[in-house]
Amino acid sequence: MANSRPTSLSSHRLTRRHLLAAGLTAGLAAGATSATPGLAQASPFDPERAGRIRPNGDPDFHPVKFKLPVPSGRKALGTTAIHLIDRSRPDPSMPSGQRELMISLWYPAGMFGPAPFAKYMPPRTAVEVDDTWTGEYGLALPSGSFDFANTETHSRVDVPMQRLRHPVVLFSPGYQYSRFVNTAQVEDLAGRGYVVVTMDHSHETPVEFPGGRFLPGTSTEEPAGPEEIRKAVETRTADARFVLDQLERLARGENVDAEGKDLPGGLAEGLELRKVGMFGFALGGYTAANTMLEDERVLAGLDLDGTLQDDRLKGPLGEVAERGLDRPFLLFGSAGTQRTDPGKEYYDKSWASFWEAQRGGKLNLTLASTKQRTFTDYQFIFSQLFHEIYGEDPIITSVMKALVGSAKPARSVLAQREYVAAFFDQTLRRRPSLLLRGDSSRFPEVRFAR
């Protein structure tokens, strides 16, 4: 990015008014696109850190590591990154001359010895994503404020997979988003017994390959036009289908990693590829639906607040919005987007069209008091960062509302986890859920839009 930003955390001083203005600007600008960098769940302020509040309100700029919400499942978790080369698709810009991808598998772990917890992001990706949110044109924070590279997940690196067969769920991120910014949701599914496969889409999303080779993705300076979005969806769909092919090879005991690295034990025995689902955030949700249209191996899909057309206001509709699917699909929207009622402010013709055309099971849910990035980890990341830097300043509430809405992050994360898991439990495991039958007193913030 070409942001003009301070290079030192200690040299940057901002007032509360600067923070609010930056937060409102970033929130509104991001909301204008189909998929901008996302947000996460917030944790309550720790009174033991009260001594760090600045009596005079001066910001305490420093790199902030984040605490991911604990997965609700009882299983120990593992993760492994795999470098893939698709030899059927030329890509002269890659060293191999063919399309290259990075994916991560997140899974229930078997027995293992000492193993480190995975970091939230690899180092170069962490710098790139931090750059997206810092500087004059981001949240007016110094570079390095988001310490993604030293934040720990709940998953241990390259430990064996539990030797049971687990349903498989693919995940595609938002446009220009890293595959790591939905880790809280991904880990929760893995803790419930799923293998979740997250994908970076090279040349669009930032991606770091073995040895430190890095591709920054597309520029964030100009919003993508309809033609670029259509091309991105087609490329992403091809990526997802290729990943499924490679998972089939893994299940046969083959090593699909481009460098031939030692893969965790139990992968072949642990992949239940007769039970495959897919979900995605924003453009990743469009990708999930389009992949289902083109590949019958995906039995159920879920769209986290993503339009199903190439431009939400102008169209054209995606083919999947016009034709629908013959397998179950869940539309899960925020309060500020995605409506199927043309009389409402945020009407989205693509969701309305899909609803009418859909032949398989269908659900349309709305999460009250939220914005699009609530469906990412940024809902808790922003909250933790602002409290670390600005203490208990009440202006944080206004900034958070501008960026992710006014829903309590802990409740939002819990609701998303429960409904996403209930959907895949019902469609892939044949475990009916009362949550999916109508509005629930447990989650009054989740409303059935249809």
Side-chain angles (χ1 to χ4, degrees):
M1 285 182 66
N3 287 2
S4 172
R5 61 171 65 80
T7 58
S8 168
L9 287 168
S10 61
S11 66
H12 195 72
R13 290 175 62 88
L14 291 173
T15 66
R16 293 182 177 89
R17 186 174 298 276
H18 286 137
L19 172 62
L20 176 59
L24 287 171
T25 301
L28 294 174
T33 66
S34 63
T36 18
L39 303 173
Q41 160 205 346
S43 60
F45 178 73
D46 183 356
E48 294 181 0
R49 289 189 272 169
R52 296 188 61 179
I53 298 178
R54 278 67 62 201
N56 60 0
D58 289 342
D60 177 17
F61 290 116
H62 63 282
V64 177
K65 294 188 288 187
F66 307 100
K67 292 182 179 180
L68 275 67
V70 177
S72 52
R74 298 180 179 179
K75 299 179 181 296
L77 302 179
T79 185
T80 190
I82 300 178
H83 177 199
L84 302 176
I85 298 178
D86 184 350
R87 304 193 184 281
S88 69
R89 288 189 286 170
D91 184 347
S93 68
M94 291 291 191
S96 66
Q98 292 143 340
R99 182 154 180 82
E100 300 184 28
L101 302 174
M102 287 299 299
I103 65 172
S104 291
L105 274 64
W106 306 79
Y107 50 85
M111 299 294 293
F112 57 87
F117 286 105
K119 300 301 186 183
Y120 188 75
M121 287 179 182
R124 187 61 187 86
T125 301
V127 170
E128 182 74 12
V129 178
D130 173 81
D131 283 352
T132 301
W133 291 110
T134 57
E136 181 180 354
Y137 301 105
L139 292 173
L141 294 167
S143 295
S145 295
F146 296 83
D147 194 0
F148 294 121
N150 290 305
T151 292
E152 289 189 341
T153 68
H154 300 285
S155 303
R156 296 185 183 271
V157 178
D158 291 337
V159 296
M161 184 182 291
Q162 184 184 44
R163 292 184 182 273
L164 297 172
R165 299 190 76 77
H166 306 284
V168 175
V169 178
L170 304 187
F171 173 77
S172 178
Y175 186 70
Q176 300 173 330
Y177 278 49
S178 164
R179 73 186 191 270
F180 298 108
V181 297
N182 280 76
T183 295
Q185 181 65 69
V186 166
E187 285 195 317
D188 189 72
L189 279 174
R192 296 172 189 256
Y194 290 87
V195 175
V196 186
V197 183
T198 60
M199 301 174 285
D200 275 332
H201 301 287
S202 302
H203 302 303
E204 179 216 307
T205 62
V207 56
E208 188 166 342
F209 291 95
R213 178 165 58 98
F214 181 74
L215 293 178
T218 57
S219 170
T220 59
E221 294 180 0
E222 295 293 333
E227 297 82 7
E228 293 172 281
I229 293 297
R230 176 59 60 93
K231 182 178 179 181
V233 171
E234 292 172 352
T235 299
R236 286 161 161 257
T237 299
D239 288 346
R241 300 189 69 185
F242 169 68
V243 168
L244 280 173
D245 292 342
Q246 302 314 293
L247 294 177
E248 290 177 347
R249 291 181 59 200
L250 270 177
R252 294 194 296 265
E254 299 179 39
N255 188 334
V256 299
D257 184 79
E259 280 75 37
K261 82 165 192 176
D262 291 334
L263 298 178
L267 294 189
E269 299 89 342
L271 299 174
E272 177 50 276
L273 293 176
R274 294 173 300 177
K275 299 178 180 179
V276 174
M278 184 170 177
F279 75 116
F281 162 67
L283 192 67
Y286 188 174
T287 303
N290 198 65
T291 300
M292 287 186 68
L293 184 67
E294 296 193 12
D295 200 315
E296 293 186 353
R297 290 176 292 182
V298 184
L299 302 182
L302 192 154
D303 178 356
L304 297 175
D305 212 39
T307 187
L308 300 176
Q309 55 189 332
D310 302 339
D311 182 287
R312 193 175 73 83
L313 298 178
K314 302 176 183 178
L317 294 178
E319 184 180 2
V320 69
E322 296 180 318
R323 293 177 53 187
L325 300 165
D326 59 3
R327 284 147 287 152
F329 201 84
L330 189 157
L331 302 169
F332 204 165
S334 68
T337 53
Q338 317 306 357
R339 289 287 188 274
T340 56
D341 182 348
K344 293 186 177 180
E345 181 180 2
Y346 294 103
Y347 173 63
D348 186 328
K349 184 178 179 181
S350 72
W351 278 33
S353 175
F354 177 82
W355 187 263
E356 295 302 321
Q358 173 67 355
R359 304 178 304 284
K362 56 186 180 182
L363 290 169
N364 185 353
L365 308 178
T366 298
L367 187 57
S369 303
T370 60
K371 294 192 174 182
Q372 187 179 57
R373 282 168 292 177
T374 304
F375 289 99
T376 72
D377 291 348
Y378 288 114
Q379 60 189 318
F380 59 84
I381 288 174
F382 284 156
S383 177
Q384 291 179 29
L385 178 126
F386 292 149
H387 282 100
E388 282 279 340
I389 290 177
Y390 290 89
E392 284 300 273
D393 194 320
I395 204 170
I396 293 172
T397 301
S398 299
V399 177
M400 288 295 294
K401 185 175 181 179
L403 290 169
V404 294
S406 58
K408 299 292 185 184
R411 284 292 301 179
S412 171
V413 168
L414 178 62
Q416 291 178 53
R417 285 176 162 186
E418 291 299 316
Y419 279 88
V420 170
F423 176 74
F424 285 123
D425 281 350
Q426 180 164 299
T427 55
L428 299 182
R429 287 173 158 163
R430 300 295 184 259
R431 298 176 182 173
S433 173
L434 291 175
L435 277 182
L436 304 182
R437 295 185 181 180
D439 293 340
S440 169
S441 59
R442 287 179 58 202
F443 295 102
E445 61 269 53
V446 178
R447 301 165 186 169
F448 280 66
R450 287 274 188 166

